[in-house]
Amino acid sequence: MDIKSKNNYTITSPGSKTDYKNFPMVPRVIFGTGCFGQLGEILLPKRINSGTPFIFLVDDVFEGTGLVSRIPLIFNDRIIFISADEEPKTDQVDVLVQKIKNDYAHLPSGIIGIGGGTILDLAKAVAIMLTNKGNAHQYQGWDLVKKSSIYHVGIPTISGTGAEVSRTTVLLGPEKKLGINSDYTTFDQVLMDPDLTIGVPREQWFYTGMDCFIHCIESLNGTFLNAFSQSYGEKALELCKEVYLEDLREDEARNKLMMASWHGGMSIAYSQVGVAHAMSYGLSYLLGVRHGIGNCLVFRHLKEFYPEGVDLFNKMKEKHNIQLPQGICRELTDNDFEIMINVALGLVPLWENALGKEWQRLITPEKLKSIYKKI
Ligand code: NAD
Ligand code: ZN
């Protein structure tokens, strides 16, 4: 007999068919200070031939810096600098793919993303769209990608999103902000060199790191929780507490935050995020508020959902003297609130994880409006 457990997974008698998800993981990862220097030897065996280049999508914050001179370019490899001022869009992916197809006779040997969540997500999406027909927005959703992507490598330069391990690439499309969730999205290789995060501005370090912290709180307090997610979530939470509440050496803090991001991403792979992410997507869709800061803006008002998490968050915020902007939603119209509320309530799995199957009885548009009004 099959019993639906409260966390949505089916409990079955031995030998019968189950419907657990069979997820891909990043098959190769290198971690350590200075390991960026090994990128050339990692890529060498993956080069198809001298005419098929590696394309490096690099955050333009690195333009003219020493990092760029260390990128191991040979033959017709190319660097494309990309601004992370705005989060990635589906038509930006389409333009990049078209450019690569126009400029080269053959598909590249691989795509390498060097940057934060914005650039990592772009690299994943470009790698997928080089082998799949049509436009990126057609693949926003779950398991819509038909063909395997080209080889792609993620090199994070800021820690927290977990984009380096996840099987999604979050894109703003013409109709929605939604990921391309597929088995082909996950990177083939990740290179984690904590020294690459040295120049991150302090506030951004806090916002993106809090993305990881909030992943942990939402995963660990969700109804989808299971031993797999819990094991990663608890480790990531412990690392976040060390980084943001203790006085670690800077290099130690960089190493630990990088691993926190990894574990936080793994934790939500087999569960879901929750209230802060749902509401932050609304803010992002209407106002273009970026992911890390958007989560912080919402999370501090969620004490009734995550009492201990919000207390910890406030301690971390105080310790690092972070002033969050106020009054973001002050000037908004009723119609604006409605748009944000619809985006947020559309994210059904997040609410189900946060509040259970009966979530609609616990959260109403009025309730969400009252929280948005505080932001
Ligand atoms: P980001 O990539 O948007 O970068 C934030 C800022 O930090 C940018 O100005 C960037 O130029 C700068 N920066 C990055 N590295 C730097 C460095 N070493 N030195 C100086 N400046 C540096 O930030 P993020 O918070 O990592 O990513 C947010 C994006 O990630 C959003 O688009 C969000 O949707 C996405 N995301 C994806 C997933 C996923 O699983 N795919 C999960 C969470 C978030
Ligand atoms: Zn997040």
Side-chain angles (χ1 to χ4, degrees), residues 122-285:
L122 270 176
K124 290 172 171 184
V126 167
I128 289 171
M129 292 311 299
L130 278 166
T131 54
N132 285 274
K133 288 204 185 80
N135 297 314
H137 73 84
Q138 295 168 264
Y139 296 92
Q140 283 180 289
W142 281 269
D143 302 306
L144 302 172
V145 179
K146 298 288 175 289
K147 284 195 184 160
S148 162
S149 58
I150 68 166
Y151 176 76
H152 53 305
V153 180
I155 305 184
T157 64
I158 178 170
S159 301
T161 64
E164 65 279 15
V165 285
S166 73
R167 81 189 270 284
T168 189
T169 157
V170 184
L171 301 174
L172 192 64
E175 284 156 23
K176 55 200 167 197
K177 180 177 174 181
L178 186 61
I180 299 180
N181 298 267
S182 87
D183 284 354
Y184 306 118
T185 309
T186 316
F187 283 115
D188 297 296
Q189 166 84 54
V190 169
L191 183 149
M192 294 197 284
D193 181 343
D195 273 4
L196 301 186
T197 66
I198 284 176
V200 174
R202 197 180 60 90
E203 304 216 319
Q204 190 63 53
W205 166 79
F206 185 81
Y207 299 144
T208 300
M210 284 302 109
D211 189 23
C212 175
F213 172 72
I214 295 169
H215 291 158
C216 299
I217 300 295
E218 292 185 324
S219 168
L220 291 171
N221 291 284
T223 61
F224 292 0
L225 190 66
N226 54 76
F228 184 100
S229 295
Q230 188 176 4
S231 64
Y232 286 107
E234 283 174 349
K235 188 68 206 177
L237 181 59
E238 179 191 314
L239 291 167
C240 284
K241 284 188 197 163
E242 283 185 60
V243 170
Y244 288 99
L245 292 173
E246 290 175 23
D247 297 302
L248 302 179
R249 270 201 338 260
E250 284 193 7
D251 58 331
E252 244 183 319
R254 283 195 295 274
N255 292 353
K256 291 194 178 203
L257 192 57
M258 202 159 244
M259 287 320 298
S261 175
W262 180 275
H263 282 80
M266 286 301 298
S267 178
I268 47 175
Y270 227 79
S271 73
Q272 250 307 344
V273 284
V275 183
H277 273 77
M279 295 193 67
S280 162
Y281 270 45
L283 279 180
S284 159
Y285 186 81

